[in-house]
Amino acid sequence: MLGSSNTMLAVDIGQFSVKSVQGKFKSNIKFTGKNGNYVLRQKSQIQNEEQENDVHHSLVPLSSKKSDIFTAVALSDVITREIEIGREISAFERESAIEVELSELLPFSLDQVYFDFKEIESDGEETSGIRYLVATSRRDIVDPLTDSIFSFEKFDRKRNQINVDVDAYALGRLINSIYSEEVQDGTVLLIDIAHERSRYYFYSSKGLIFNREQQIGGKYATESIAEIYDLNFEDAQLLKHRDEHDSEFIELVVKPFAAAFAEQLNLVIDFFEASGKADKDITKVVLIGGGACLNSFIDELQSLISLVVEMIDLSIVWSGGNPENQDWKTLSANYALAISLLTDGDQ
């Protein structure tokens, strides 16, 4: 992807906000935020009926001329299947052959879905055919995302092509770039703490090996703040995102949120260990998403579990970043998925 000379635009339409990243990228994965080579934009408080307007707000400062556009659907909205196709089938006939196999595996008809496929290794097993990983997502999930982008007046379907990725695979490319040693030696658990739900993705040298989604996110803390301090939701959000909080706030809000999150995390790890896919120990827990940005949350979470917990550090792939700076950490957590959509790799 990053070998393109065109402007590249990533749009992350999340549970609570739209994040967009635009830049011109020239080599490999590393790119720079200096000299105006990138633009970041975020619009918060998505409501379903207002998603289109929020996407517009996020894209307003961005140029669209010859832009390659990238967005993503969540893995929970995707059905993946492994399909084996005979080696005698030509490349020209391959897609039709996969369609035939796929039609027998899905709970709905092919005209209701989009699908893509990729050849995968056979894990040392001898097979008579070629194995493919096929990812499918319903059109009624994908179309609202792409339509909300194309409805922006600067874009049109003739000039701009939208590439739809899967969040877990895009983030896997980012994990391979930043934590290459950790995924070779063990398992990296990436947690995207979004507004209402958190997604748990386990990566090893084999790629994505396990995933779960739990009903806990940043909204949990916001609602606690609103109740404790008698605030409306918007004011509670503002209080939550302050750079510093007093000891009372940490005691009443952060610690209970961390405790509830640690309970969910331990439950997910139990599922992982029972899945039969935990052949290597978890070496690191990496957090992204707006819910991970609550001041002192990581410290409190770390005190409750034995695993190493840290915010994702994009400074390896983004020149000029300072992993010790809190603003940089917040930016990294919020824009990790958008950045991952603009990275190459094998996921």
Side-chain angles (χ1 to χ4, degrees), residues 175 178-188 203-205 280-281 283-284 310:
I175 289 295
I178 299 174
Y179 302 101
S180 57
E181 293 184 5
E182 287 86 344
V183 294
Q184 289 300 320
D185 298 336
T187 301
V188 173
Y203 300 97
S204 74
S205 57
K280 293 183 179 180
D281 292 336
T283 54
K284 187 165 291 187
E310 66 180 43

PDB file of all heavy atoms in Angstrom, residues 175 178-188 203-205 280-281 283-284 310:
ATOM      1  N   ILE A 175       0.923  -4.733  14.421  1.00  0.00           N
ATOM      2  CA  ILE A 175       1.570  -5.491  15.496  1.00  0.00           C
ATOM      3  C   ILE A 175       2.848  -6.150  14.997  1.00  0.00           C
ATOM      4  O   ILE A 175       3.890  -6.140  15.669  1.00  0.00           O
ATOM      5  CB  ILE A 175       0.601  -6.542  16.068  1.00  0.00           C
ATOM      6  CG1 ILE A 175      -0.518  -5.873  16.863  1.00  0.00           C
ATOM      7  CG2 ILE A 175       1.342  -7.562  16.935  1.00  0.00           C
ATOM      8  CD1 ILE A 175      -0.050  -5.161  18.110  1.00  0.00           C
ATOM      9  N   ILE A 178       5.552  -3.425  14.797  1.00  0.00           N
ATOM     10  CA  ILE A 178       6.007  -2.817  16.051  1.00  0.00           C
ATOM     11  C   ILE A 178       6.542  -3.860  17.026  1.00  0.00           C
ATOM     12  O   ILE A 178       7.537  -3.630  17.722  1.00  0.00           O
ATOM     13  CB  ILE A 178       4.859  -2.022  16.698  1.00  0.00           C
ATOM     14  CG1 ILE A 178       4.404  -0.893  15.765  1.00  0.00           C
ATOM     15  CG2 ILE A 178       5.274  -1.448  18.043  1.00  0.00           C
ATOM     16  CD1 ILE A 178       3.172  -0.148  16.259  1.00  0.00           C
ATOM     17  N   TYR A 179       5.891  -5.018  17.083  1.00  0.00           N
ATOM     18  CA  TYR A 179       6.237  -6.026  18.086  1.00  0.00           C
ATOM     19  C   TYR A 179       6.690  -7.324  17.411  1.00  0.00           C
ATOM     20  O   TYR A 179       6.241  -8.420  17.779  1.00  0.00           O
ATOM     21  CB  TYR A 179       5.027  -6.293  18.991  1.00  0.00           C
ATOM     22  CG  TYR A 179       4.522  -5.061  19.694  1.00  0.00           C
ATOM     23  CD1 TYR A 179       3.399  -4.384  19.230  1.00  0.00           C
ATOM     24  CD2 TYR A 179       5.162  -4.563  20.819  1.00  0.00           C
ATOM     25  CE1 TYR A 179       2.928  -3.242  19.871  1.00  0.00           C
ATOM     26  CE2 TYR A 179       4.705  -3.427  21.467  1.00  0.00           C
ATOM     27  CZ  TYR A 179       3.590  -2.766  20.985  1.00  0.00           C
ATOM     28  OH  TYR A 179       3.138  -1.636  21.618  1.00  0.00           O
ATOM     29  N   SER A 180       7.574  -7.206  16.442  1.00  0.00           N
ATOM     30  CA  SER A 180       7.999  -8.378  15.675  1.00  0.00           C
ATOM     31  C   SER A 180       8.672  -9.429  16.556  1.00  0.00           C
ATOM     32  O   SER A 180       8.449 -10.633  16.372  1.00  0.00           O
ATOM     33  CB  SER A 180       8.944  -7.943  14.546  1.00  0.00           C
ATOM     34  OG  SER A 180      10.061  -7.242  15.066  1.00  0.00           O
ATOM     35  N   GLU A 181       9.491  -9.002  17.502  1.00  0.00           N
ATOM     36  CA  GLU A 181      10.174  -9.969  18.379  1.00  0.00           C
ATOM     37  C   GLU A 181       9.177 -10.658  19.294  1.00  0.00           C
ATOM     38  O   GLU A 181       9.266 -11.870  19.522  1.00  0.00           O
ATOM     39  CB  GLU A 181      11.254  -9.263  19.199  1.00  0.00           C
ATOM     40  CG  GLU A 181      12.415  -8.739  18.370  1.00  0.00           C
ATOM     41  CD  GLU A 181      13.510  -8.137  19.237  1.00  0.00           C
ATOM     42  OE1 GLU A 181      13.396  -8.215  20.479  1.00  0.00           O
ATOM     43  OE2 GLU A 181      14.476  -7.595  18.670  1.00  0.00           O
ATOM     44  N   GLU A 182       8.228  -9.896  19.828  1.00  0.00           N
ATOM     45  CA  GLU A 182       7.262 -10.459  20.774  1.00  0.00           C
ATOM     46  C   GLU A 182       6.372 -11.513  20.129  1.00  0.00           C
ATOM     47  O   GLU A 182       6.063 -12.535  20.740  1.00  0.00           O
ATOM     48  CB  GLU A 182       6.399  -9.350  21.380  1.00  0.00           C
ATOM     49  CG  GLU A 182       7.124  -8.465  22.391  1.00  0.00           C
ATOM     50  CD  GLU A 182       7.871  -7.301  21.759  1.00  0.00           C
ATOM     51  OE1 GLU A 182       8.082  -7.349  20.527  1.00  0.00           O
ATOM     52  OE2 GLU A 182       8.230  -6.358  22.479  1.00  0.00           O
ATOM     53  N   VAL A 183       5.965 -11.285  18.866  1.00  0.00           N
ATOM     54  CA  VAL A 183       5.089 -12.273  18.226  1.00  0.00           C
ATOM     55  C   VAL A 183       5.868 -13.498  17.773  1.00  0.00           C
ATOM     56  O   VAL A 183       5.280 -14.575  17.583  1.00  0.00           O
ATOM     57  CB  VAL A 183       4.312 -11.668  17.027  1.00  0.00           C
ATOM     58  CG1 VAL A 183       3.344 -10.613  17.496  1.00  0.00           C
ATOM     59  CG2 VAL A 183       5.241 -11.123  15.967  1.00  0.00           C
ATOM     60  N   GLN A 184       7.169 -13.369  17.588  1.00  0.00           N
ATOM     61  CA  GLN A 184       7.984 -14.534  17.265  1.00  0.00           C
ATOM     62  C   GLN A 184       8.207 -15.403  18.496  1.00  0.00           C
ATOM     63  O   GLN A 184       8.207 -16.638  18.417  1.00  0.00           O
ATOM     64  CB  GLN A 184       9.331 -14.099  16.690  1.00  0.00           C
ATOM     65  CG  GLN A 184       9.246 -13.515  15.290  1.00  0.00           C
ATOM     66  CD  GLN A 184       8.681 -14.499  14.273  1.00  0.00           C
ATOM     67  OE1 GLN A 184       8.999 -15.688  14.296  1.00  0.00           O
ATOM     68  NE2 GLN A 184       7.834 -13.998  13.386  1.00  0.00           N
ATOM     69  N   ASP A 185       8.378 -14.766  19.641  1.00  0.00           N
ATOM     70  CA  ASP A 185       8.701 -15.492  20.868  1.00  0.00           C
ATOM     71  C   ASP A 185       7.471 -15.903  21.665  1.00  0.00           C
ATOM     72  O   ASP A 185       7.559 -16.779  22.538  1.00  0.00           O
ATOM     73  CB  ASP A 185       9.606 -14.635  21.763  1.00  0.00           C
ATOM     74  CG  ASP A 185      10.935 -14.311  21.098  1.00  0.00           C
ATOM     75  OD1 ASP A 185      11.340 -15.068  20.204  1.00  0.00           O
ATOM     76  OD2 ASP A 185      11.554 -13.291  21.463  1.00  0.00           O
ATOM     77  N   GLY A 186       6.346 -15.264  21.427  1.00  0.00           N
ATOM     78  CA  GLY A 186       5.159 -15.545  22.228  1.00  0.00           C
ATOM     79  C   GLY A 186       3.902 -15.017  21.569  1.00  0.00           C
ATOM     80  O   GLY A 186       3.787 -15.003  20.347  1.00  0.00           O
ATOM     81  N   THR A 187       2.963 -14.590  22.393  1.00  0.00           N
ATOM     82  CA  THR A 187       1.677 -14.085  21.927  1.00  0.00           C
ATOM     83  C   THR A 187       1.490 -12.656  22.410  1.00  0.00           C
ATOM     84  O   THR A 187       1.738 -12.359  23.591  1.00  0.00           O
ATOM     85  CB  THR A 187       0.523 -14.958  22.466  1.00  0.00           C
ATOM     86  OG1 THR A 187       0.706 -16.302  22.022  1.00  0.00           O
ATOM     87  CG2 THR A 187      -0.821 -14.444  21.984  1.00  0.00           C
ATOM     88  N   VAL A 188       1.069 -11.783  21.519  1.00  0.00           N
ATOM     89  CA  VAL A 188       0.737 -10.408  21.877  1.00  0.00           C
ATOM     90  C   VAL A 188      -0.779 -10.274  21.863  1.00  0.00           C
ATOM     91  O   VAL A 188      -1.431 -10.625  20.878  1.00  0.00           O
ATOM     92  CB  VAL A 188       1.369  -9.389  20.904  1.00  0.00           C
ATOM     93  CG1 VAL A 188       0.865  -7.973  21.199  1.00  0.00           C
ATOM     94  CG2 VAL A 188       2.885  -9.429  21.008  1.00  0.00           C
ATOM     95  N   TYR A 203      -2.260 -12.365  18.775  1.00  0.00           N
ATOM     96  CA  TYR A 203      -1.381 -12.544  17.620  1.00  0.00           C
ATOM     97  C   TYR A 203      -0.129 -13.322  18.021  1.00  0.00           C
ATOM     98  O   TYR A 203       0.439 -13.086  19.089  1.00  0.00           O
ATOM     99  CB  TYR A 203      -0.944 -11.189  17.054  1.00  0.00           C
ATOM    100  CG  TYR A 203      -2.083 -10.312  16.576  1.00  0.00           C
ATOM    101  CD1 TYR A 203      -2.605  -9.319  17.396  1.00  0.00           C
ATOM    102  CD2 TYR A 203      -2.632 -10.467  15.309  1.00  0.00           C
ATOM    103  CE1 TYR A 203      -3.644  -8.510  16.967  1.00  0.00           C
ATOM    104  CE2 TYR A 203      -3.670  -9.666  14.868  1.00  0.00           C
ATOM    105  CZ  TYR A 203      -4.173  -8.686  15.701  1.00  0.00           C
ATOM    106  OH  TYR A 203      -5.203  -7.881  15.272  1.00  0.00           O
ATOM    107  N   SER A 204       0.288 -14.216  17.135  1.00  0.00           N
ATOM    108  CA  SER A 204       1.556 -14.927  17.293  1.00  0.00           C
ATOM    109  C   SER A 204       2.263 -14.912  15.943  1.00  0.00           C
ATOM    110  O   SER A 204       1.848 -14.204  15.021  1.00  0.00           O
ATOM    111  CB  SER A 204       1.310 -16.361  17.756  1.00  0.00           C
ATOM    112  OG  SER A 204       0.801 -17.155  16.691  1.00  0.00           O
ATOM    113  N   SER A 205       3.305 -15.700  15.809  1.00  0.00           N
ATOM    114  CA  SER A 205       4.006 -15.784  14.528  1.00  0.00           C
ATOM    115  C   SER A 205       3.099 -16.346  13.434  1.00  0.00           C
ATOM    116  O   SER A 205       3.383 -16.197  12.242  1.00  0.00           O
ATOM    117  CB  SER A 205       5.252 -16.665  14.674  1.00  0.00           C
ATOM    118  OG  SER A 205       4.901 -17.960  15.155  1.00  0.00           O
ATOM    119  N   LYS A 280       1.852 -20.604  22.997  1.00  0.00           N
ATOM    120  CA  LYS A 280       2.920 -19.756  23.530  1.00  0.00           C
ATOM    121  C   LYS A 280       2.333 -18.787  24.542  1.00  0.00           C
ATOM    122  O   LYS A 280       1.190 -18.358  24.416  1.00  0.00           O
ATOM    123  CB  LYS A 280       3.601 -18.974  22.400  1.00  0.00           C
ATOM    124  CG  LYS A 280       4.386 -19.837  21.432  1.00  0.00           C
ATOM    125  CD  LYS A 280       5.085 -18.971  20.384  1.00  0.00           C
ATOM    126  CE  LYS A 280       5.895 -19.824  19.415  1.00  0.00           C
ATOM    127  NZ  LYS A 280       6.571 -18.985  18.387  1.00  0.00           N
ATOM    128  N   ASP A 281       3.134 -18.430  25.540  1.00  0.00           N
ATOM    129  CA  ASP A 281       2.669 -17.526  26.588  1.00  0.00           C
ATOM    130  C   ASP A 281       2.398 -16.129  26.031  1.00  0.00           C
ATOM    131  O   ASP A 281       3.008 -15.700  25.045  1.00  0.00           O
ATOM    132  CB  ASP A 281       3.713 -17.415  27.704  1.00  0.00           C
ATOM    133  CG  ASP A 281       3.870 -18.712  28.476  1.00  0.00           C
ATOM    134  OD1 ASP A 281       2.919 -19.519  28.475  1.00  0.00           O
ATOM    135  OD2 ASP A 281       4.944 -18.914  29.076  1.00  0.00           O
ATOM    136  N   THR A 283       3.107 -12.509  25.948  1.00  0.00           N
ATOM    137  CA  THR A 283       4.288 -11.730  26.339  1.00  0.00           C
ATOM    138  C   THR A 283       3.959 -10.271  26.638  1.00  0.00           C
ATOM    139  O   THR A 283       4.701  -9.602  27.348  1.00  0.00           O
ATOM    140  CB  THR A 283       5.347 -11.770  25.224  1.00  0.00           C
ATOM    141  OG1 THR A 283       4.749 -11.344  23.982  1.00  0.00           O
ATOM    142  CG2 THR A 283       5.891 -13.178  25.051  1.00  0.00           C
ATOM    143  N   LYS A 284       2.844  -9.793  26.095  1.00  0.00           N
ATOM    144  CA  LYS A 284       2.519  -8.377  26.288  1.00  0.00           C
ATOM    145  C   LYS A 284       1.048  -8.149  25.983  1.00  0.00           C
ATOM    146  O   LYS A 284       0.471  -8.787  25.107  1.00  0.00           O
ATOM    147  CB  LYS A 284       3.389  -7.513  25.378  1.00  0.00           C
ATOM    148  CG  LYS A 284       3.268  -6.014  25.601  1.00  0.00           C
ATOM    149  CD  LYS A 284       4.416  -5.285  24.914  1.00  0.00           C
ATOM    150  CE  LYS A 284       5.744  -5.542  25.585  1.00  0.00           C
ATOM    151  NZ  LYS A 284       6.832  -4.729  25.034  1.00  0.00           N
ATOM    152  N   GLU A 310       0.707  -2.108  28.246  1.00  0.00           N
ATOM    153  CA  GLU A 310       1.191  -0.815  27.777  1.00  0.00           C
ATOM    154  C   GLU A 310       0.294  -0.283  26.668  1.00  0.00           C
ATOM    155  O   GLU A 310      -0.407  -1.034  26.008  1.00  0.00           O
ATOM    156  CB  GLU A 310       2.627  -0.912  27.262  1.00  0.00           C
ATOM    157  CG  GLU A 310       2.795  -1.758  26.016  1.00  0.00           C
ATOM    158  CD  GLU A 310       4.245  -1.816  25.534  1.00  0.00           C
ATOM    159  OE1 GLU A 310       5.138  -1.976  26.390  1.00  0.00           O
ATOM    160  OE2 GLU A 310       4.457  -1.721  24.314  1.00  0.00           O
TER     161      GLU A 310
END
